[in-house]
Amino acid sequence: PLFEPTGRNTAAAVALATLRCLSEYGDSLMLVVPSDHEIATEQQFWRSVENGTAAARAGRLVVFGIKPSQPETGYGYIEVAGEKDGIYDVSRFVEKPDLVTAQSYLTAGNFYWNTGIFLFRASAMRDAFTAFEPEIWKATEIAYQAATSDLSGLYMPLELYAAIPSTSIDYAIMERASHIAMVPAGFRWNDLGSWQSLLDVGPSDNDGNVIVGDVVAIDCENSYIRSDSRLLSAIGLKDVAIVSTADATFVAPVSRSQNVKQIVEQLER
């Protein structure tokens, strides 16, 4: 395992894993999978990954896309063009759209939800970093070369790792690289990035609530209510998320999950 002493977003994490792969396993294929996603069909997942290996071995960065079933505004999209042997050419990545735009993507038929799952040769990602984000690559390399290890894994020095520019792999590489390939995902996928998604995948009661921990909920509907410490009581709530931890409490409409990041950024400041 590789241990980050502080979060520097996904570009640093991918650069670090790529360095590790090159030094320990050579120019192997690498698969990047976000940890906060639900993949419910394991066999179909690995079959989809296998479908992308030929393009990845040829040196292309490969992304997996989900054919949209509704005009979802909480996901990023991939626009694709030509197709050969089940592999599509990516025209562009698109940020989370508004409802009208998302509906137009659905109608167009050549847009896919971006799962954020990537497959590539380690050398292809290294070359992309040196072309587009050499500063991130160099800073990560310095931190990696100074790492210490014990039985549990490899540890980066805090001061060196904190010096790596913080940005996402999407902004740093995927939205700038050319000749990216897309494989349609044949697996069930849910980005657990919204309260609604947690309601969709969690064990719900007869009123559509997902209750976690020491909670008393009376006359509540379609709400995500979680307590990690003391008793949490709620009455007459609908479409609301409440999360109570030992040191903080969060309350918001289920539909406003995108604003959580703003709160986190404000707290960090």
Side-chain angles (χ1 to χ4, degrees), residues 158-217:
L158 173 58
E159 67 280 3
L160 294 180
Y161 203 80
I164 303 170
S166 178
T167 187
S168 73
I169 190 66
D170 301 82
Y171 289 131
I173 304 297
M174 303 306 291
E175 294 180 9
R176 298 156 77 181
S178 59
H179 204 45
I180 294 179
M182 192 210 74
V183 173
F187 50 86
R188 279 182 55 203
W189 170 85
N190 198 326
D191 177 356
L192 303 179
S194 70
W195 301 113
Q196 185 60 54
S197 67
L198 293 178
L199 284 172
D200 292 340
V201 303
S204 58
D205 63 17
N206 293 334
D207 297 310
N209 303 302
V210 172
I211 307 295
V212 182
D214 193 5
V215 173
V216 174

Side-chain angles (χ1 to χ4, degrees), residues 118-140:
F118 308 121
L119 179 71
F120 49 84
R121 285 178 74 143
S123 62
M125 185 57 73
R126 177 199 60 204
D127 293 348
F129 267 105
T130 53
F132 301 113
E133 289 288 350
E135 189 181 348
I136 291 178
W137 183 258
K138 188 62 181 173
T140 308

Side-chain angles (χ1 to χ4, degrees), residues 242-264:
I242 307 174
V243 179
S244 177
T245 67
D247 58 357
T249 301
F250 174 85
V251 182
V254 166
S255 60
R256 295 289 296 275
S257 60
Q258 304 305 323
N259 298 96
V260 176
K261 189 173 183 181
Q262 295 173 12
I263 293 174
V264 172

